[in-house]
Amino acid sequence: MNSLGEFLHMGGYGLYVWGAYGLSAAILIWNAIVPTQREKSLLRELAARSNGRSGP
Amino acid sequence: MLESLYKYAAPQNFYQLSRRLTPWLAGAAALLLLAGLAGALWFAPPDYQQGESFRIIYVHVPSAWMSLFVYVVLAAAGITGLVWKVKVADALARASAPIGAAFTFLALATGSLWGKPMWGAWWVWDARLTSELILLFLYVGYIALQGAIEDRRMAARAGAVLAVIGLINIPIIHYSVEWWSTLHQGPTVTRFDAPAIHISMLIPLLIMALGFKLYYAANVLVRMRCELLEAERNSAWVRQLGS
């Protein structure tokens, strides 16, 4: 493989190879973001709940 | 060893430990996946039969391995929760399901993208593909069951029973390519004799597989913390986290 074009072409299988890698990356990244955000919002909720109780 | 096992079976201790471990696991997973990607897309030579299309193996096989591994973890955690009533084990089972489903979906989808150029078909009803599809249904069924039963203890118990029954599918998937004549190729790496793959192609595969495993470890810890926070929302240690 010499040029970027050849690299992207993947010997004619570009669509399949990049499709597989793109899909994998998208799903793995999405799968990592969702629970991280969920934990943050759960902790925010908890903080709000305890503030509400100790507040005036 | 046993003592620390007892200690971290307590949700609050586990929660703190998991918070410390996650960044390290996630960092190691990211490094391995990046190194694996470089090997998979650049350093590994093209296959003499399949050309560049074989590079799909580096996402397909680790996903497929993880789809089985995560299911076994889910079932084992389910049994542990069922028999010894360990809350952390219930959380592990429940947190594993969406990740396992994602890996199973990826194994099927990347397999489809590999099957089209090599076999000429996106899908065939051969034993390997069909049993892997059943695995996806098992995961989806487990997740649906968790969503349908409001009481978490009941949901965990029902889920554990489903997961244990579904275990029968795991050896079927693994041996399908030997028991039946399938279009899917036989094992390349997990054989009794030496792997039928050159070392320059094998190393990126092993790096990717380890990266996927650490990704799962980091991801499942975050999901377990969410599960524990929700299940234990009224206990003293969770209230303390908020203050």
Side-chain angles (χ1 to χ4, degrees), chain B residues 28-238:
Chain B
L31 284 178
L32 281 167
L33 289 174
L34 285 176
L37 268 183
L41 290 169
W42 193 263
F43 294 110
D47 186 66
Y48 82 105
Q49 276 183 328
Q50 303 194 354
E52 308 286 352
S53 80
F54 106 100
R55 297 185 190 281
I56 294 174
I57 199 176
Y58 296 110
V59 283
H60 175 69
V61 167
S63 306
W65 281 345
M66 287 309 292
S67 72
L68 304 183
F69 176 80
V70 172
Y71 192 86
V72 174
V73 171
L74 191 164
I79 298 170
T80 308
L82 194 66
V83 177
W84 290 286
K85 316 229 179 310
V86 185
K87 285 174 184 162
V88 170
D90 285 341
L92 174 58
R94 210 170 147 117
S96 292
I99 318 174
F103 283 134
T104 312
F105 174 76
L106 264 187
L108 289 166
T110 55
S112 191
L113 283 164
W114 198 0
K116 184 60 184 168
M118 289 301 111
W119 302 339
W122 297 104
W123 181 263
V124 287
W125 290 102
D126 101 343
R128 172 56 71 80
L129 279 71
T130 308
S131 53
E132 182 78 10
L133 182 63
I134 291 172
L135 182 66
L136 181 62
F137 293 158
L138 282 167
Y139 276 121
V140 171
Y142 180 93
I143 294 167
L145 197 59
Q146 298 305 301
I149 305 175
E150 218 164 301
D151 181 75
R152 294 179 84 96
R153 288 290 318 149
M154 287 279 287
R157 256 179 278 168
V161 172
L162 172 73
V164 169
I165 296 170
L167 265 182
I168 185 66
N169 193 36
I170 298 299
I172 294 178
I173 296 173
H174 183 77
Y175 291 109
S176 57
V177 287
E178 291 170 23
W179 291 345
W180 295 285
S181 75
T182 53
L183 194 53
H184 193 284
Q185 65 197 56
T188 305
V189 180
T190 53
R191 311 179 346 149
F192 283 117
D193 46 349
I197 178 172
H198 190 265
I199 190 84
S200 61
M201 293 175 165
L202 179 62
I203 287 173
L205 183 59
L206 297 179
I207 295 175
M208 284 298 259
L210 192 62
F212 270 57
K213 196 151 277 178
L214 290 180
Y215 169 91
Y216 163 66
N219 198 276
V220 84
L221 286 179
V222 181
R223 287 176 186 274
M224 284 172 79
R225 289 205 297 275
C226 294
E227 294 297 336
L228 290 171
L229 285 177
E230 285 185 343
E232 304 266 288
R233 59 168 57 239
N234 291 322
S235 66
W237 72 272
V238 174

Side-chain angles (χ1 to χ4, degrees), chain A residues 2-30:
Chain A
N2 303 313
S3 68
L4 184 68
E6 268 179 69
F7 183 58
L8 293 177
H9 188 60
M10 279 286 161
Y13 297 114
L15 196 65
Y16 302 106
V17 173
W18 293 113
Y21 280 82
L23 187 68
S24 305
I27 287 182
L28 291 187
I29 291 169
W30 167 252

